[in-house]
Amino acid sequence: MPVEQTLAELVSINSVSNNSNAEVIKYLAARCEAMGLSVKLFPYEDEQSVEKINMVAWTGNDSDKIDVELALVGHTDTVPFDAAWAEALRLTEREGRLYGRGACDTKGFIAAALAAVEGADLRGLGRPLALVFTADEEVGCLGAKRLAQARPLSARYSVVGEPTSLRPMRAGKGYCLAEIVLRGREGHSAYPALGASAIFRAARLVTRIERIGEELQADARPDFEPPYTTLNVGLLRGGTAKNIIAGECRFTLEWRPVPGQEASHVVELVRAAIEDEQARDRDFDCSLNVIRLDEAMETPAESRLVRLLEETTGSTAGTIAFGTEAPQMTELGAEAVVFGPGDIRVAHRTGEFVPVEELRECARVLSRAIEHFCLQAERTTP
Ligand SMILES: [Zn+2]
């Protein structure tokens, strides 16, 4: 089946993250079974009790442990779309571009991966190959995190599909989020000694966090832009009225750690700052709740997968600042590279599209990767 037709069929199935992805998985399972792959489904219920399914299709027997040489990974969910966007579920071609929700992020990659596997002589494969389709990527890589925890598969190399305009991306910053709550004591603002301002306390802590951010710049990774871990206090809310000493103040702290720096490093630094404030002010009441702690990922520049994708595409590997499922594939043992057709800057918006030529080229590059990693009978040393 031509890659554009596969993409049209995938786009026609609404798989916005808050819906079940069962229908798109059913479609993908049928396609993979028709190619002679073994298919295993990993269903779960999300927080809203909606059924979500991760799927692995591979060139081995049902009874085998799924341990593959190469895994091609795509997420089946998409971000929501505006009801007024008529093409959202009907792939439409104009001037060499295919428009539709998910065309770029990440159904284009999935269509290209199916085309590449369909074109391969699976009986001739010396080393196993897998297609991995996940749920809930757009809401925090929740499907991939379940796979990483349950470990139903391992892979030596993995191409994680995301729109990178066909440039291989071998490293990415992590993504972390915490909420910090300061408590004080309410009172009439004319008599500050009667209360304790949670806002003044929060301000002291935010100033320290700003300094932590400046100190982290010393731990530089020149491959990234900006080349260090960044911090952001994006929301801050406190107090009830202008003439009441604020009883509570809460703020969010987001940070994006560079590879080589543990995601929890910032938590340790902030906790030390809180303890220091508590040493000066025994009443300093503060709680820090970590909501998300996604590690950064980095695959060495010398990795065979990086080298092959560089050679095949003619572009040198880069780095990305947005979150992907590559860290989970790293947890599953893989040297992972993020790669796919389309531009991340047009993803997540009305009018998302993938250039037809990039879509076809992606299928060719993935075919080449399958040949390179899975066709020879003998494992070559990296
Ligand atoms: Zn995506």
PDB file of all heavy atoms in Angstrom, residues 253-280:
ATOM      1  N   LEU A 253       7.398  24.953  39.513  1.00  0.00           N
ATOM      2  CA  LEU A 253       8.797  25.002  39.094  1.00  0.00           C
ATOM      3  C   LEU A 253       8.991  23.930  38.030  1.00  0.00           C
ATOM      4  O   LEU A 253       8.716  22.752  38.259  1.00  0.00           O
ATOM      5  CB  LEU A 253       9.722  24.733  40.282  1.00  0.00           C
ATOM      6  CG  LEU A 253      11.206  24.560  39.922  1.00  0.00           C
ATOM      7  CD1 LEU A 253      11.771  25.817  39.288  1.00  0.00           C
ATOM      8  CD2 LEU A 253      12.013  24.190  41.167  1.00  0.00           C
ATOM      9  N   GLU A 254       9.396  24.390  36.847  1.00  0.00           N
ATOM     10  CA  GLU A 254       9.632  23.482  35.735  1.00  0.00           C
ATOM     11  C   GLU A 254      11.122  23.542  35.410  1.00  0.00           C
ATOM     12  O   GLU A 254      11.710  24.613  35.469  1.00  0.00           O
ATOM     13  CB  GLU A 254       8.798  23.994  34.557  1.00  0.00           C
ATOM     14  CG  GLU A 254       8.888  23.215  33.281  1.00  0.00           C
ATOM     15  CD  GLU A 254       8.482  24.077  32.092  1.00  0.00           C
ATOM     16  OE1 GLU A 254       9.194  25.048  31.787  1.00  0.00           O
ATOM     17  OE2 GLU A 254       7.469  23.787  31.475  1.00  0.00           O
ATOM     18  N   TRP A 255      11.734  22.404  35.072  1.00  0.00           N
ATOM     19  CA  TRP A 255      13.124  22.433  34.622  1.00  0.00           C
ATOM     20  C   TRP A 255      13.350  21.359  33.571  1.00  0.00           C
ATOM     21  O   TRP A 255      12.632  20.358  33.513  1.00  0.00           O
ATOM     22  CB  TRP A 255      14.105  22.322  35.782  1.00  0.00           C
ATOM     23  CG  TRP A 255      14.165  21.044  36.540  1.00  0.00           C
ATOM     24  CD1 TRP A 255      15.114  20.080  36.444  1.00  0.00           C
ATOM     25  CD2 TRP A 255      13.250  20.604  37.559  1.00  0.00           C
ATOM     26  NE1 TRP A 255      14.854  19.057  37.329  1.00  0.00           N
ATOM     27  CE2 TRP A 255      13.715  19.355  38.021  1.00  0.00           C
ATOM     28  CE3 TRP A 255      12.090  21.134  38.130  1.00  0.00           C
ATOM     29  CZ2 TRP A 255      13.055  18.636  39.015  1.00  0.00           C
ATOM     30  CZ3 TRP A 255      11.431  20.418  39.109  1.00  0.00           C
ATOM     31  CH2 TRP A 255      11.917  19.183  39.546  1.00  0.00           C
ATOM     32  N   ARG A 256      14.326  21.632  32.717  1.00  0.00           N
ATOM     33  CA  ARG A 256      14.641  20.739  31.593  1.00  0.00           C
ATOM     34  C   ARG A 256      16.121  20.379  31.686  1.00  0.00           C
ATOM     35  O   ARG A 256      16.981  21.108  31.182  1.00  0.00           O
ATOM     36  CB  ARG A 256      14.344  21.460  30.265  1.00  0.00           C
ATOM     37  CG  ARG A 256      12.866  21.814  30.103  1.00  0.00           C
ATOM     38  CD  ARG A 256      12.617  22.794  28.976  1.00  0.00           C
ATOM     39  NE  ARG A 256      11.255  23.300  29.017  1.00  0.00           N
ATOM     40  CZ  ARG A 256      10.223  22.771  28.344  1.00  0.00           C
ATOM     41  NH1 ARG A 256      10.417  21.740  27.556  1.00  0.00           N
ATOM     42  NH2 ARG A 256       9.019  23.285  28.457  1.00  0.00           N
ATOM     43  N   PRO A 257      16.401  19.242  32.351  1.00  0.00           N
ATOM     44  CA  PRO A 257      17.806  18.888  32.597  1.00  0.00           C
ATOM     45  C   PRO A 257      18.543  18.442  31.332  1.00  0.00           C
ATOM     46  O   PRO A 257      17.964  17.775  30.471  1.00  0.00           O
ATOM     47  CB  PRO A 257      17.705  17.730  33.593  1.00  0.00           C
ATOM     48  CG  PRO A 257      16.355  17.152  33.387  1.00  0.00           C
ATOM     49  CD  PRO A 257      15.469  18.280  32.944  1.00  0.00           C
ATOM     50  N   VAL A 258      19.804  18.830  31.257  1.00  0.00           N
ATOM     51  CA  VAL A 258      20.665  18.373  30.149  1.00  0.00           C
ATOM     52  C   VAL A 258      21.095  16.928  30.428  1.00  0.00           C
ATOM     53  O   VAL A 258      21.090  16.492  31.577  1.00  0.00           O
ATOM     54  CB  VAL A 258      21.924  19.268  29.995  1.00  0.00           C
ATOM     55  CG1 VAL A 258      21.568  20.631  29.450  1.00  0.00           C
ATOM     56  CG2 VAL A 258      22.692  19.372  31.303  1.00  0.00           C
ATOM     57  N   PRO A 259      21.474  16.184  29.370  1.00  0.00           N
ATOM     58  CA  PRO A 259      21.955  14.814  29.568  1.00  0.00           C
ATOM     59  C   PRO A 259      23.163  14.799  30.502  1.00  0.00           C
ATOM     60  O   PRO A 259      23.961  15.736  30.501  1.00  0.00           O
ATOM     61  CB  PRO A 259      22.364  14.362  28.161  1.00  0.00           C
ATOM     62  CG  PRO A 259      21.616  15.236  27.233  1.00  0.00           C
ATOM     63  CD  PRO A 259      21.454  16.546  27.938  1.00  0.00           C
ATOM     64  N   GLY A 260      23.242  13.744  31.291  1.00  0.00           N
ATOM     65  CA  GLY A 260      24.371  13.625  32.211  1.00  0.00           C
ATOM     66  C   GLY A 260      24.074  14.234  33.569  1.00  0.00           C
ATOM     67  O   GLY A 260      24.819  14.039  34.520  1.00  0.00           O
ATOM     68  N   GLN A 261      22.985  14.992  33.647  1.00  0.00           N
ATOM     69  CA  GLN A 261      22.601  15.569  34.931  1.00  0.00           C
ATOM     70  C   GLN A 261      21.287  14.899  35.340  1.00  0.00           C
ATOM     71  O   GLN A 261      20.321  14.926  34.570  1.00  0.00           O
ATOM     72  CB  GLN A 261      22.378  17.067  34.755  1.00  0.00           C
ATOM     73  CG  GLN A 261      22.232  17.811  36.050  1.00  0.00           C
ATOM     74  CD  GLN A 261      21.977  19.290  35.759  1.00  0.00           C
ATOM     75  OE1 GLN A 261      20.847  19.721  35.616  1.00  0.00           O
ATOM     76  NE2 GLN A 261      23.044  20.058  35.637  1.00  0.00           N
ATOM     77  N   GLU A 262      21.256  14.288  36.516  1.00  0.00           N
ATOM     78  CA  GLU A 262      20.038  13.583  36.899  1.00  0.00           C
ATOM     79  C   GLU A 262      18.886  14.555  37.058  1.00  0.00           C
ATOM     80  O   GLU A 262      19.052  15.672  37.535  1.00  0.00           O
ATOM     81  CB  GLU A 262      20.280  12.810  38.197  1.00  0.00           C
ATOM     82  CG  GLU A 262      20.995  11.500  37.904  1.00  0.00           C
ATOM     83  CD  GLU A 262      21.052  10.595  39.113  1.00  0.00           C
ATOM     84  OE1 GLU A 262      20.126  10.642  39.941  1.00  0.00           O
ATOM     85  OE2 GLU A 262      22.030   9.855  39.208  1.00  0.00           O
ATOM     86  N   ALA A 263      17.702  14.073  36.672  1.00  0.00           N
ATOM     87  CA  ALA A 263      16.506  14.912  36.759  1.00  0.00           C
ATOM     88  C   ALA A 263      16.280  15.390  38.193  1.00  0.00           C
ATOM     89  O   ALA A 263      15.807  16.498  38.429  1.00  0.00           O
ATOM     90  CB  ALA A 263      15.296  14.141  36.243  1.00  0.00           C
ATOM     91  N   SER A 264      16.668  14.543  39.170  1.00  0.00           N
ATOM     92  CA  SER A 264      16.408  14.888  40.575  1.00  0.00           C
ATOM     93  C   SER A 264      17.433  15.867  41.148  1.00  0.00           C
ATOM     94  O   SER A 264      17.282  16.328  42.283  1.00  0.00           O
ATOM     95  CB  SER A 264      16.400  13.610  41.412  1.00  0.00           C
ATOM     96  OG  SER A 264      17.657  12.974  41.282  1.00  0.00           O
ATOM     97  N   HIS A 265      18.449  16.211  40.365  1.00  0.00           N
ATOM     98  CA  HIS A 265      19.484  17.126  40.869  1.00  0.00           C
ATOM     99  C   HIS A 265      18.892  18.459  41.317  1.00  0.00           C
ATOM    100  O   HIS A 265      19.215  18.977  42.395  1.00  0.00           O
ATOM    101  CB  HIS A 265      20.539  17.341  39.774  1.00  0.00           C
ATOM    102  CG  HIS A 265      21.683  18.209  40.176  1.00  0.00           C
ATOM    103  ND1 HIS A 265      22.434  17.965  41.300  1.00  0.00           N
ATOM    104  CD2 HIS A 265      22.198  19.342  39.617  1.00  0.00           C
ATOM    105  CE1 HIS A 265      23.362  18.900  41.406  1.00  0.00           C
ATOM    106  NE2 HIS A 265      23.247  19.751  40.403  1.00  0.00           N
ATOM    107  N   VAL A 266      17.996  19.007  40.518  1.00  0.00           N
ATOM    108  CA  VAL A 266      17.380  20.301  40.863  1.00  0.00           C
ATOM    109  C   VAL A 266      16.548  20.168  42.143  1.00  0.00           C
ATOM    110  O   VAL A 266      16.548  21.057  42.996  1.00  0.00           O
ATOM    111  CB  VAL A 266      16.538  20.838  39.677  1.00  0.00           C
ATOM    112  CG1 VAL A 266      15.639  21.990  40.115  1.00  0.00           C
ATOM    113  CG2 VAL A 266      17.457  21.285  38.536  1.00  0.00           C
ATOM    114  N   VAL A 267      15.876  19.015  42.306  1.00  0.00           N
ATOM    115  CA  VAL A 267      15.086  18.795  43.525  1.00  0.00           C
ATOM    116  C   VAL A 267      16.005  18.888  44.744  1.00  0.00           C
ATOM    117  O   VAL A 267      15.683  19.547  45.741  1.00  0.00           O
ATOM    118  CB  VAL A 267      14.388  17.409  43.499  1.00  0.00           C
ATOM    119  CG1 VAL A 267      13.617  17.178  44.799  1.00  0.00           C
ATOM    120  CG2 VAL A 267      13.458  17.298  42.297  1.00  0.00           C
ATOM    121  N   GLU A 268      17.170  18.247  44.651  1.00  0.00           N
ATOM    122  CA  GLU A 268      18.116  18.274  45.780  1.00  0.00           C
ATOM    123  C   GLU A 268      18.565  19.710  46.082  1.00  0.00           C
ATOM    124  O   GLU A 268      18.626  20.111  47.243  1.00  0.00           O
ATOM    125  CB  GLU A 268      19.342  17.412  45.462  1.00  0.00           C
ATOM    126  CG  GLU A 268      19.048  15.920  45.557  1.00  0.00           C
ATOM    127  CD  GLU A 268      20.040  15.083  44.757  1.00  0.00           C
ATOM    128  OE1 GLU A 268      21.153  15.574  44.458  1.00  0.00           O
ATOM    129  OE2 GLU A 268      19.683  13.928  44.424  1.00  0.00           O
ATOM    130  N   LEU A 269      18.860  20.472  45.029  1.00  0.00           N
ATOM    131  CA  LEU A 269      19.320  21.849  45.234  1.00  0.00           C
ATOM    132  C   LEU A 269      18.215  22.701  45.880  1.00  0.00           C
ATOM    133  O   LEU A 269      18.477  23.497  46.789  1.00  0.00           O
ATOM    134  CB  LEU A 269      19.753  22.470  43.900  1.00  0.00           C
ATOM    135  CG  LEU A 269      20.965  21.825  43.220  1.00  0.00           C
ATOM    136  CD1 LEU A 269      21.213  22.462  41.854  1.00  0.00           C
ATOM    137  CD2 LEU A 269      22.208  21.958  44.097  1.00  0.00           C
ATOM    138  N   VAL A 270      16.977  22.514  45.418  1.00  0.00           N
ATOM    139  CA  VAL A 270      15.876  23.318  45.970  1.00  0.00           C
ATOM    140  C   VAL A 270      15.579  22.890  47.409  1.00  0.00           C
ATOM    141  O   VAL A 270      15.350  23.729  48.281  1.00  0.00           O
ATOM    142  CB  VAL A 270      14.617  23.224  45.073  1.00  0.00           C
ATOM    143  CG1 VAL A 270      13.431  23.928  45.717  1.00  0.00           C
ATOM    144  CG2 VAL A 270      14.904  23.828  43.696  1.00  0.00           C
ATOM    145  N   ARG A 271      15.646  21.582  47.664  1.00  0.00           N
ATOM    146  CA  ARG A 271      15.421  21.122  49.049  1.00  0.00           C
ATOM    147  C   ARG A 271      16.480  21.702  49.995  1.00  0.00           C
ATOM    148  O   ARG A 271      16.175  22.096  51.115  1.00  0.00           O
ATOM    149  CB  ARG A 271      15.446  19.597  49.127  1.00  0.00           C
ATOM    150  CG  ARG A 271      14.159  18.960  48.636  1.00  0.00           C
ATOM    151  CD  ARG A 271      13.997  17.538  49.234  1.00  0.00           C
ATOM    152  NE  ARG A 271      13.092  16.724  48.431  1.00  0.00           N
ATOM    153  CZ  ARG A 271      11.762  16.851  48.438  1.00  0.00           C
ATOM    154  NH1 ARG A 271      11.193  17.752  49.230  1.00  0.00           N
ATOM    155  NH2 ARG A 271      11.013  16.066  47.681  1.00  0.00           N
ATOM    156  N   ALA A 272      17.721  21.763  49.514  1.00  0.00           N
ATOM    157  CA  ALA A 272      18.791  22.338  50.348  1.00  0.00           C
ATOM    158  C   ALA A 272      18.501  23.813  50.621  1.00  0.00           C
ATOM    159  O   ALA A 272      18.715  24.305  51.749  1.00  0.00           O
ATOM    160  CB  ALA A 272      20.142  22.172  49.659  1.00  0.00           C
ATOM    161  N   ALA A 273      17.977  24.529  49.611  1.00  0.00           N
ATOM    162  CA  ALA A 273      17.636  25.947  49.804  1.00  0.00           C
ATOM    163  C   ALA A 273      16.507  26.082  50.827  1.00  0.00           C
ATOM    164  O   ALA A 273      16.521  26.985  51.677  1.00  0.00           O
ATOM    165  CB  ALA A 273      17.237  26.575  48.464  1.00  0.00           C
ATOM    166  N   ILE A 274      15.531  25.180  50.759  1.00  0.00           N
ATOM    167  CA  ILE A 274      14.415  25.219  51.714  1.00  0.00           C
ATOM    168  C   ILE A 274      14.937  24.968  53.133  1.00  0.00           C
ATOM    169  O   ILE A 274      14.597  25.686  54.075  1.00  0.00           O
ATOM    170  CB  ILE A 274      13.339  24.168  51.335  1.00  0.00           C
ATOM    171  CG1 ILE A 274      12.656  24.566  50.010  1.00  0.00           C
ATOM    172  CG2 ILE A 274      12.296  24.022  52.447  1.00  0.00           C
ATOM    173  CD1 ILE A 274      11.767  23.488  49.403  1.00  0.00           C
ATOM    174  N   GLU A 275      15.826  23.962  53.262  1.00  0.00           N
ATOM    175  CA  GLU A 275      16.373  23.656  54.589  1.00  0.00           C
ATOM    176  C   GLU A 275      17.151  24.841  55.151  1.00  0.00           C
ATOM    177  O   GLU A 275      17.095  25.135  56.345  1.00  0.00           O
ATOM    178  CB  GLU A 275      17.266  22.411  54.525  1.00  0.00           C
ATOM    179  CG  GLU A 275      16.442  21.136  54.594  1.00  0.00           C
ATOM    180  CD  GLU A 275      17.223  19.916  54.144  1.00  0.00           C
ATOM    181  OE1 GLU A 275      18.465  19.917  54.260  1.00  0.00           O
ATOM    182  OE2 GLU A 275      16.569  18.960  53.664  1.00  0.00           O
ATOM    183  N   ASP A 276      17.857  25.511  54.257  1.00  0.00           N
ATOM    184  CA  ASP A 276      18.617  26.682  54.680  1.00  0.00           C
ATOM    185  C   ASP A 276      17.678  27.788  55.177  1.00  0.00           C
ATOM    186  O   ASP A 276      17.946  28.439  56.194  1.00  0.00           O
ATOM    187  CB  ASP A 276      19.448  27.168  53.487  1.00  0.00           C
ATOM    188  CG  ASP A 276      20.539  28.098  53.942  1.00  0.00           C
ATOM    189  OD1 ASP A 276      21.216  27.757  54.928  1.00  0.00           O
ATOM    190  OD2 ASP A 276      20.689  29.175  53.330  1.00  0.00           O
ATOM    191  N   GLU A 277      16.574  27.994  54.463  1.00  0.00           N
ATOM    192  CA  GLU A 277      15.584  28.987  54.914  1.00  0.00           C
ATOM    193  C   GLU A 277      14.999  28.570  56.260  1.00  0.00           C
ATOM    194  O   GLU A 277      14.755  29.410  57.133  1.00  0.00           O
ATOM    195  CB  GLU A 277      14.463  29.136  53.876  1.00  0.00           C
ATOM    196  CG  GLU A 277      14.850  29.917  52.634  1.00  0.00           C
ATOM    197  CD  GLU A 277      15.222  31.374  52.921  1.00  0.00           C
ATOM    198  OE1 GLU A 277      14.650  31.982  53.849  1.00  0.00           O
ATOM    199  OE2 GLU A 277      16.124  31.888  52.234  1.00  0.00           O
ATOM    200  N   GLN A 278      14.774  27.274  56.428  1.00  0.00           N
ATOM    201  CA  GLN A 278      14.198  26.788  57.688  1.00  0.00           C
ATOM    202  C   GLN A 278      15.160  26.967  58.849  1.00  0.00           C
ATOM    203  O   GLN A 278      14.743  27.183  59.988  1.00  0.00           O
ATOM    204  CB  GLN A 278      13.778  25.313  57.533  1.00  0.00           C
ATOM    205  CG  GLN A 278      12.461  25.206  56.776  1.00  0.00           C
ATOM    206  CD  GLN A 278      12.151  23.798  56.281  1.00  0.00           C
ATOM    207  OE1 GLN A 278      13.046  22.970  56.131  1.00  0.00           O
ATOM    208  NE2 GLN A 278      10.876  23.551  56.013  1.00  0.00           N
ATOM    209  N   ALA A 279      16.470  26.918  58.544  1.00  0.00           N
ATOM    210  CA  ALA A 279      17.459  27.126  59.599  1.00  0.00           C
ATOM    211  C   ALA A 279      17.411  28.574  60.105  1.00  0.00           C
ATOM    212  O   ALA A 279      17.705  28.857  61.269  1.00  0.00           O
ATOM    213  CB  ALA A 279      18.853  26.784  59.085  1.00  0.00           C
ATOM    214  N   ARG A 280      17.030  29.501  59.213  1.00  0.00           N
ATOM    215  CA  ARG A 280      16.953  30.922  59.610  1.00  0.00           C
ATOM    216  C   ARG A 280      15.601  31.267  60.222  1.00  0.00           C
ATOM    217  O   ARG A 280      15.477  32.226  60.961  1.00  0.00           O
ATOM    218  CB  ARG A 280      17.103  31.817  58.380  1.00  0.00           C
ATOM    219  CG  ARG A 280      18.461  31.797  57.753  1.00  0.00           C
ATOM    220  CD  ARG A 280      18.293  32.187  56.292  1.00  0.00           C
ATOM    221  NE  ARG A 280      19.455  31.767  55.537  1.00  0.00           N
ATOM    222  CZ  ARG A 280      20.358  32.609  55.045  1.00  0.00           C
ATOM    223  NH1 ARG A 280      20.205  33.909  55.202  1.00  0.00           N
ATOM    224  NH2 ARG A 280      21.397  32.167  54.399  1.00  0.00           N
TER     225      ARG A 280
END
